[in-house]
Amino acid sequence: AARQSRMAAFFRAV
Amino acid sequence: MFEAQMAQAALLKQIIESIRELITEATFEVSGTGMMLQAMDSSHVSLVALNLRSDGFQLFRADRPFSMGMNLNHMAKMLKCAGKDDTLTMRADEANDLVTFLFESPGNERLAEFELKLMDITSENLGIPDAEYSATVSMPSAEFQRIVKDLGSIGDTVEITVTKDDVRFAASGDIGNATIKCRQLLDTEKPEDRTLIEMVEPVNLTFALRYLINFSKATSLAPSVTIKLSTEMPVVVEYKLSDIGYVRFYLAPKIED
């Protein structure tokens, strides 16, 4: 099954 | 000092109603350019970005950048007290931890003043780069809402596939499978009834339906919705607010290990 990714995996904290 | 006046208190009420289940607390950043909010849901799977431009307000004054942390459920409670056609004036200053909502009836015979306590919210802000997306689909927002709700009764996730001819939404569950295919439709009487597919390269992504169903609470804000997709990137679901800005929802995809 596919795993749910998180936003931080794509966009960096500023 | 911050002061902003909106012709329709109902607009802000609808905006907050559409996002408050996803994010219960958020900080509005106010500056000369307008009011902005960016917040993730508690599981950091989705993100809401709201932008209300200052020129979309009847009056907008922000002497210096100002942060207003608010509990959105509390804000919704107050905004629900506005009359259907009331105007809204928001006022705040740095001296006290309050924001005032003034609701004024069209004939000015009733003026209601609600003061909401502001709060300090520590949250992580993410920089979202301007990206070219592999596929952009615009469709009637009510159609998108119907698709995600219908598929939500079949499965937990939706597989979205965009080709040059159509966009497909597929779900499977214990009871069976469902696929909804939408073709490009440009020849409509009203522009908002169009389904427009712009594809640089085909994409195929899987997302949790419960978030998309939640995003579709914004349907009443705009007649059409724009969905932007790129392989292994968060999807953007955008509702444009006429003359004032937008609400964008981002959702991280399901990824095969």
Side-chain angles (χ1 to χ4, degrees), chain B residues 140-160:
Chain B
S141 56
E143 174 62 23
F144 178 68
Q145 182 172 46
R146 182 181 168 193
I147 290 169
V148 293
K149 279 189 171 175
D150 286 353
L151 294 182
S153 66
I154 306 298
D156 296 331
T157 61
V158 59
E159 189 182 348
I160 305 178

Side-chain angles (χ1 to χ4, degrees), chain B residues 37-155:
Chain B
L37 173 156
Q38 193 204 88
M40 283 186 279
D41 73 289
S42 58
S43 59
H44 290 200
V45 166
S46 69
L47 183 147
V48 178
L50 167 70
N51 187 3
L52 303 173
R53 290 188 319 268
S54 54
D55 61 37
F57 289 82
Q58 288 183 318
L59 175 157
F60 194 95
R61 182 185 152 197
D63 294 342
R64 59 174 68 92
F66 187 52
S67 297
M68 299 192 297
M70 288 189 240
N71 177 305
L72 298 189
N73 289 323
H74 299 170
M75 192 180 174
K77 267 188 194 182
M78 292 191 170
L79 292 172
K80 270 184 190 164
C81 301
K84 188 167 69 71
D85 299 313
D86 284 3
T87 60
L88 165 69
T89 305
M90 288 176 274
R91 272 189 206 133
D93 62 60
E94 283 148 292
N96 49 26
D97 293 332
L98 290 169
V99 58
T100 304
F101 299 111
L102 286 165
F103 309 132
E104 214 164 329
S105 63
N108 298 97
E109 69 280 4
R110 187 177 191 270
L111 182 67
E113 188 174 323
F114 287 75
E115 288 181 330
L116 177 68
K117 289 176 188 167
L118 295 177
M119 53 204 288
D120 280 325
I121 297 166
T122 45
S123 62
E124 191 179 21
N125 246 41
L126 299 179
I128 301 167
D130 276 329
E132 293 287 324
Y133 284 86
S134 299
T136 303
V137 177
S138 297
M139 61 162 62
S141 56
E143 174 62 23
F144 178 68
Q145 182 172 46
R146 182 181 168 193
I147 290 169
V148 293
K149 279 189 171 175
D150 286 353
L151 294 182
S153 66
I154 306 298

Side-chain angles (χ1 to χ4, degrees), chain B residues 26-37:
Chain B
T27 302
F28 283 85
E29 301 293 347
V30 170
S31 71
T33 57
M35 285 179 83
M36 284 168 71
L37 173 156

Side-chain angles (χ1 to χ4, degrees), chain B residues 143 146-148 150-151 167-171 178-182:
Chain B
E143 174 62 23
R146 182 181 168 193
I147 290 169
V148 293
D150 286 353
L151 294 182
V167 49
R168 284 171 212 216
F169 300 87
T179 305
I180 299 166
K181 186 164 81 178
C182 299

